[in-house]
CSV table of all heavy atoms in Angstrom, one decimal:
chain,number,residue,atom,x,y,z
A,26,ALA,N,6.7,-6.6,-17.0
A,26,ALA,CA,5.7,-7.1,-17.9
A,26,ALA,C,4.7,-7.9,-17.3
A,26,ALA,O,3.6,-8.1,-17.7
A,26,ALA,CB,6.5,-7.9,-19.0
A,27,VAL,N,5.0,-8.5,-16.2
A,27,VAL,CA,4.1,-9.4,-15.4
A,27,VAL,C,3.1,-8.7,-14.5
A,27,VAL,O,2.0,-9.0,-14.2
A,27,VAL,CB,4.9,-10.3,-14.5
A,27,VAL,CG1,4.0,-11.1,-13.5
A,27,VAL,CG2,5.8,-11.3,-15.4
A,28,VAL,N,3.6,-7.5,-14.0
A,28,VAL,CA,2.8,-6.8,-13.0
A,28,VAL,C,1.5,-6.4,-13.5
A,28,VAL,O,0.5,-6.5,-12.7
A,28,VAL,CB,3.6,-5.5,-12.5
A,28,VAL,CG1,2.7,-4.6,-11.7
A,28,VAL,CG2,4.8,-5.9,-11.7
A,29,PRO,N,1.3,-5.8,-14.6
A,29,PRO,CA,-0.1,-5.5,-15.0
A,29,PRO,C,-1.0,-6.7,-15.0
A,29,PRO,O,-2.2,-6.6,-14.6
A,29,PRO,CB,0.0,-4.9,-16.5
A,29,PRO,CG,1.5,-4.4,-16.4
A,29,PRO,CD,2.3,-5.3,-15.6
A,30,GLY,N,-0.5,-7.8,-15.5
A,30,GLY,CA,-1.4,-9.0,-15.5
A,30,GLY,C,-1.7,-9.5,-14.0
A,30,GLY,O,-2.8,-9.8,-13.7
A,31,LEU,N,-0.7,-9.3,-13.1
A,31,LEU,CA,-1.0,-9.7,-11.8
A,31,LEU,C,-2.0,-8.8,-11.0
A,31,LEU,O,-2.9,-9.2,-10.3
A,31,LEU,CB,0.3,-9.6,-10.9
A,31,LEU,CG,1.2,-10.7,-11.1
A,31,LEU,CD1,2.5,-10.5,-10.3
A,31,LEU,CD2,0.7,-12.0,-10.6
A,32,VAL,N,-1.9,-7.6,-11.5
A,32,VAL,CA,-3.0,-6.5,-10.9
A,32,VAL,C,-4.4,-7.0,-11.4
A,32,VAL,O,-5.3,-7.0,-10.7
A,32,VAL,CB,-2.6,-5.1,-11.5
A,32,VAL,CG1,-3.8,-4.1,-11.3
A,32,VAL,CG2,-1.3,-4.5,-10.8
A,33,GLY,N,-4.4,-7.5,-12.7
A,33,GLY,CA,-5.7,-7.9,-13.0
A,33,GLY,C,-6.3,-9.1,-12.4
A,33,GLY,O,-7.5,-9.3,-12.0
A,34,LYS,N,-5.3,-10.0,-11.9
A,34,LYS,CA,-5.6,-11.2,-11.1
A,34,LYS,C,-6.1,-10.8,-9.7
A,34,LYS,O,-6.9,-11.7,-9.1
A,34,LYS,CB,-4.5,-12.2,-11.1
A,34,LYS,CG,-4.1,-12.8,-12.5
A,34,LYS,CD,-5.2,-13.6,-13.0
A,34,LYS,CE,-4.8,-14.2,-14.3
A,34,LYS,NZ,-6.0,-14.9,-14.9
A,35,LEU,N,-5.7,-9.7,-9.2
A,35,LEU,CA,-6.3,-9.4,-8.0
A,35,LEU,C,-7.8,-9.1,-7.9
A,35,LEU,O,-8.3,-9.1,-6.8
A,35,LEU,CB,-5.5,-7.9,-7.5
A,35,LEU,CG,-4.0,-8.1,-7.2
A,35,LEU,CD1,-3.4,-6.8,-7.0
A,35,LEU,CD2,-3.8,-9.0,-6.0
A,36,GLY,N,-8.4,-8.9,-9.1
A,36,GLY,CA,-9.7,-8.6,-9.1
A,36,GLY,C,-10.5,-10.0,-9.3
A,36,GLY,O,-11.9,-9.9,-9.4
A,37,ASP,N,-9.9,-11.1,-9.3
A,37,ASP,CA,-10.5,-12.5,-9.5
A,37,ASP,C,-11.4,-12.9,-8.4
A,37,ASP,O,-11.2,-12.4,-7.2
A,37,ASP,CB,-9.4,-13.4,-9.8
A,37,ASP,CG,-9.9,-14.8,-10.4
A,37,ASP,OD1,-10.6,-15.5,-9.7
A,37,ASP,OD2,-9.7,-15.0,-11.7
A,38,ASN,N,-12.5,-13.6,-8.7
A,38,ASN,CA,-13.4,-14.0,-7.7
A,38,ASN,C,-12.8,-15.1,-6.8
A,38,ASN,O,-13.2,-15.2,-5.7
A,38,ASN,CB,-14.7,-14.5,-8.4
A,38,ASN,CG,-15.5,-13.4,-8.9
A,38,ASN,OD1,-15.4,-12.2,-8.6
A,38,ASN,ND2,-16.2,-13.7,-10.1
A,39,LYS,N,-11.8,-15.7,-7.2
A,39,LYS,CA,-11.3,-16.9,-6.4
A,39,LYS,C,-10.2,-16.3,-5.7
A,39,LYS,O,-9.3,-15.8,-6.0
A,39,LYS,CB,-10.8,-17.9,-7.5
A,39,LYS,CG,-11.8,-18.6,-8.3
A,39,LYS,CD,-11.2,-19.6,-9.2
A,39,LYS,CE,-12.2,-20.0,-10.3
A,39,LYS,NZ,-12.3,-19.1,-11.5
A,40,ILE,N,-10.3,-16.7,-4.4
A,40,ILE,CA,-9.4,-16.3,-3.3
A,40,ILE,C,-8.0,-16.9,-3.6
A,40,ILE,O,-7.0,-16.3,-3.3
A,40,ILE,CB,-10.0,-16.5,-1.9
A,40,ILE,CG1,-9.0,-15.6,-0.9
A,40,ILE,CG2,-9.8,-18.0,-1.6
A,40,ILE,CD1,-9.6,-15.6,0.5
A,41,VAL,N,-7.9,-18.1,-4.1
A,41,VAL,CA,-6.7,-18.8,-4.3
A,41,VAL,C,-5.9,-18.1,-5.4
A,41,VAL,O,-4.6,-17.9,-5.3
A,41,VAL,CB,-6.9,-20.3,-4.9
A,41,VAL,CG1,-5.6,-20.8,-5.2
A,41,VAL,CG2,-7.6,-21.0,-3.7
A,42,VAL,N,-6.7,-17.5,-6.4
A,42,VAL,CA,-6.0,-16.7,-7.5
A,42,VAL,C,-5.4,-15.4,-6.8
A,42,VAL,O,-4.3,-15.0,-7.1
A,42,VAL,CB,-6.8,-16.4,-8.7
A,42,VAL,CG1,-6.3,-15.5,-9.7
A,42,VAL,CG2,-7.3,-17.7,-9.3
A,43,ARG,N,-6.1,-14.8,-6.0
A,43,ARG,CA,-5.7,-13.5,-5.4
A,43,ARG,C,-4.5,-13.8,-4.5
A,43,ARG,O,-3.6,-13.0,-4.5
A,43,ARG,CB,-6.9,-12.8,-4.6
A,43,ARG,CG,-8.0,-12.4,-5.6
A,43,ARG,CD,-8.9,-11.5,-4.8
A,43,ARG,NE,-9.5,-11.9,-3.6
A,43,ARG,CZ,-10.5,-12.7,-3.5
A,43,ARG,NH1,-11.3,-13.0,-4.5
A,43,ARG,NH2,-11.0,-13.1,-2.3
A,44,HIS,N,-4.6,-14.8,-3.7
A,44,HIS,CA,-3.4,-15.1,-2.8
A,44,HIS,C,-2.2,-15.5,-3.5
A,44,HIS,O,-1.1,-15.1,-3.1
A,44,HIS,CB,-3.8,-16.1,-1.9
A,44,HIS,CG,-4.7,-15.8,-0.7
A,44,HIS,ND1,-4.8,-16.5,0.4
A,44,HIS,CD2,-5.4,-14.7,-0.4
A,44,HIS,CE1,-5.6,-15.9,1.3
A,44,HIS,NE2,-5.9,-14.7,0.8
A,45,THR,N,-2.4,-16.2,-4.7
A,45,THR,CA,-1.2,-16.6,-5.5
A,45,THR,C,-0.6,-15.2,-6.0
A,45,THR,O,0.7,-15.1,-6.1
A,45,THR,CB,-1.6,-17.5,-6.6
A,45,THR,OG1,-2.2,-18.7,-6.1
A,45,THR,CG2,-0.4,-17.9,-7.3
A,46,ALA,N,-1.4,-14.3,-6.6
A,46,ALA,CA,-0.9,-13.1,-7.1
A,46,ALA,C,-0.1,-12.3,-6.0
A,46,ALA,O,1.0,-11.7,-6.3
A,46,ALA,CB,-2.0,-12.3,-7.6
A,47,MET,N,-0.6,-12.3,-4.7
A,47,MET,CA,0.0,-11.6,-3.6
A,47,MET,C,1.4,-12.3,-3.4
A,47,MET,O,2.3,-11.5,-3.1
A,47,MET,CB,-1.0,-11.6,-2.4
A,47,MET,CG,-0.4,-10.9,-1.2
A,47,MET,SD,-0.3,-9.2,-1.4
A,47,MET,CE,-2.0,-8.8,-0.8
A,48,LYS,N,1.4,-13.6,-3.4
A,48,LYS,CA,2.7,-14.3,-3.2
A,48,LYS,C,3.8,-13.9,-4.2
A,48,LYS,O,5.0,-13.8,-3.9
A,48,LYS,CB,2.5,-15.8,-3.1
A,48,LYS,CG,1.7,-16.3,-1.8
A,48,LYS,CD,1.5,-17.7,-2.0
A,48,LYS,CE,0.7,-18.3,-0.8
A,48,LYS,NZ,0.4,-19.7,-0.9
Side-chain angles (χ1 to χ4, degrees):
V27 172
V28 170
L31 282 175
V32 168
K34 293 298 180 188
L35 292 172
D37 196 286
N38 290 332
K39 297 177 191 87
I40 194 165
V41 173
V42 173
R43 293 192 311 268
H44 279 194
T45 301
M47 183 69 89
K48 289 177 185 179

